[in-house]
Amino acid sequence: MKSRVFKNGSYIWECKSSHTDPGGAINVAYLKGEIEDIENRWLIDGKPSGYYYVFPVNLVSNDARRELDRFINSYRGEVDINYYDCDDIQKIIKKLEKLSDMQSLVDYIKLIWMG
């Protein structure tokens, strides 16, 4: 699946999936390369306020989690970085399907976002 980037102000959401094992764990070598590409882009374009990876069809293995945690810790206090794997996405979708209108969606997201 081709990567898609969604920008809202200075927050970026990027949907990625590993081509080597759709439905399995994200490929760590691929992930490392993508993180390196992001860091190189940030040298040219500047850092966003937030960067969120979404892996809609892949799990995040322990090795990938360590790489993502390294990425997060490298920019702690500068960029809010987070990631969601296919299990996280399925949980979000199931919860959102229960909502009947957009205001419910906005209220739900505010509740989750603000704790």
Side-chain angles (χ1 to χ4, degrees), residues 6-64:
F6 303 89
K7 294 182 181 181
N8 182 6
S10 63
Y11 287 83
I12 299 171
W13 292 78
E14 184 164 3
C15 293
K16 302 203 80 53
S17 60
S18 182
H19 304 285
T20 56
D21 189 11
I26 191 79
N27 180 287
V28 177
Y30 167 73
L31 179 61
K32 285 181 179 182
E34 293 299 307
I35 289 171
E36 186 177 318
D37 288 348
I38 291 168
E39 291 173 322
N40 289 335
R41 273 185 293 186
W42 289 358
L43 290 173
I44 297 166
D45 299 334
K47 296 179 190 96
S49 298
Y51 198 93
Y52 308 108
Y53 265 133
V54 179
F55 304 104
V57 298
N58 291 112
L59 295 167
V60 176
S61 68
N62 287 336
D63 290 337

Side-chain angles (χ1 to χ4, degrees), residues 25-102:
I26 191 79
N27 180 287
V28 177
Y30 167 73
L31 179 61
K32 285 181 179 182
E34 293 299 307
I35 289 171
E36 186 177 318
D37 288 348
I38 291 168
E39 291 173 322
N40 289 335
R41 273 185 293 186
W42 289 358
L43 290 173
I44 297 166
D45 299 334
K47 296 179 190 96
S49 298
Y51 198 93
Y52 308 108
Y53 265 133
V54 179
F55 304 104
V57 298
N58 291 112
L59 295 167
V60 176
S61 68
N62 287 336
D63 290 337
R65 195 171 306 279
R66 279 190 289 277
E67 188 61 30
L68 288 162
D69 288 343
R70 183 210 57 81
F71 180 47
I72 289 167
N73 289 328
S74 294
Y75 297 96
R76 191 170 306 282
E78 297 178 73
V79 182
D80 177 26
I81 301 171
N82 210 335
Y83 58 90
Y84 307 91
D85 70 3
C86 60
D87 287 343
D88 296 327
I89 298 303
Q90 285 301 317
K91 289 174 190 171
I92 290 169
I93 289 170
K94 285 179 183 175
K95 289 179 180 177
L96 292 177
E97 285 175 339
K98 295 177 183 177
L99 302 175
S100 59
D101 60 37
M102 290 306 286

